[in-house]
Amino acid sequence: MTPAPSILLVEDDEDDYVLARGLLSEIFGPSLKLDWVETWDAGLEALRKGTHDICLADFRLGDRNGLELVREAATLGCTVPIILLTGQDNREIDLAAVKAGATDYLVKGEITAPLLDRAIRYAIERKKVEMQLVRFAQYDSLTGLANRSLFHTRLGDAIAHAKRTKQLVAVLLLDLDHFKNVNDSLGHPVGDMLLTQVSERLTACARETDTVARLGGDEFAVIATNITHGDGAAALARKLIDALAAPFTLNGQEVFTATSMGITLFPLDDKEPDQLLKNADMALYQAKAEGRGRYRFYDVKMNARAQARKTLEFEMRRALERHEFCLHFQPKINTFTGDLTGVEALIRWQHPERGMVLPGEFIPVAETTGLIVPLGDWVLHTACAQSVAWQKMGLPPVPVAVNVSAIQFKGTDFIDTVTRAIDESGIDPACLELELTESTVMDETEVMTELLHRLRDLRLNVAIDDFGTGCSSFLRLKELPVNKLKIDLSFVRNVTDDPANAAITKTIITLAKNLNLGVIAEGVETAEQFAFLLQHECQEVQGYYISRPLSGDQFTVWYGERLQNLAREG
Ligand code: C2E
Ligand code: MG
Ligand code: MG
């Protein structure tokens, strides 16, 4: 048998109390647990403590009534089911009672023991189900943390409380770096395990009064209250970041993840919950941009930057439609013979007001907004078409190298795009080279390796751009189907006066040789740098020393003259 529920009776009439106790004794016998309070205030106080399983409340309580009691209890977050006991004369309150949050109502004088018994059990059961539904609606089913909806409620509550106590509320927003990698390479069940363990660590670091929420995916938020100074929030941020930096054991495997975090403070940064969340998001964005595993406080300048980013994004969409982008081509030559080995296509934006805008300014925005995909498609098609056009003009083949950003490369139909560009232009795939950055290629997932193999099957070439700036695993490098390493210009720049850069450059050349890969130095500006590269047998060079990036027409002229000169010399 289930234990008898503990019952709270709020009844200001002693005769009615005796009556009710009689019925309840009939139902529960000696195990009856009944607390009787006589006033509205005492009733509310008892409900607030929430120690009873069920409350029976008289409708008429002095100069206040049971409906008000139900409403007031609900605003205090009371979850005890309440059955209202009404007189014959106020039957009409039934609907109002249920609307106010009462679980049931019974008309005094019609109550029998079986009826009351059933009403009590039913009310308790119904409340349980109701609470369960509330849980579903407010908590994340995977981690048990507050969900976005409850997060908003809690933030509103925290702000209201902080207004009264003149304290601060900190909103900390975080997401896991490279969570997608874990999901892709180890599978979703392992990804779920990671999220669960992350939520446990976050909860362990936060205080009882803080709210830890999962806003979706790998995005989490913490609302910290009772803060008097930004330092408090910074300390919490550090603690959370450190907690997540320790390795996770998932299915017996050690997995590392890191997190970046954005913080904003009420009321210093803003007073509106929605705006606070936006602030935290901007700060998070900034934190990530500065390198992973850091936190950043929101500051107004970020808002200006976000605004500028929005404008840029809008202008870029328009620019695509209005054909304001164009390609420039920078020659690459064979170091030993001086023959042209190809050109690198570099995108330019002919902005109607600002003039020529360089990719460093808009490519990162295109990457975060997804615009890089249509933009990258355009580059690929245009570059292939240009190479074919040169050949049709009677020039020797001009292989073309195209920069591909990681987001574009990992996009769903990159291989299709490449295939289409080759088919539509009629370019010989051997004349197409894709430049992928080191971090894109070193992403150790099956998907990545598979993609690279499919490119090789298409017979085109792959170079690793900005080589030396990422952290290559040499083991992986050996296995990857790539053709060429491109030494980053930061090493080349000081190659003649910085021994460290000279050593790195020489090492990369040797490495390429040992791995049977081609090697090219970019950013060659002086005769000294060129001589160094020639001496150490770097096969290919590119840089202002040979030529600046040229428009298509300029290149035609440049190449024509060069061919004549070589013919005259040779
Ligand atoms: P990157 O692929 O490493 O390109 C080399 C950059 O160095 C180019 O800058 C080029 O103009 C510059 N450069 C070439 N020779 C010299 C030199 O002798 N001295 C110096 N100081 N610089 C030299 P640019 O055109 O501004 O491009 C910057 C970056 O933007 C590129 O770096 C590439 O990562 C990206 N990018 C350019 N075009 C595209 C594109 O079509 N798609 C994508 N995804 N990225 C692109
Ligand atoms: Mg490049
Ligand atoms: Mg580069």
Side-chain angles (χ1 to χ4, degrees), residues 17 20 81 127 144 147 159 172 177 265 365 367 400 404 421 426 467 521 536:
Y17 157 67
K127 195 73 187 180
N147 67 12
I159 287 174
L172 297 85
D177 299 340
L265 298 171
V365 178
E367 286 177 335
V400 63
V404 177
F467 192 82
H536 292 97

Side-chain angles (χ1 to χ4, degrees), residues 465-466 488 522:
D465 204 353
D466 304 341
D488 190 64
E522 65 179 343

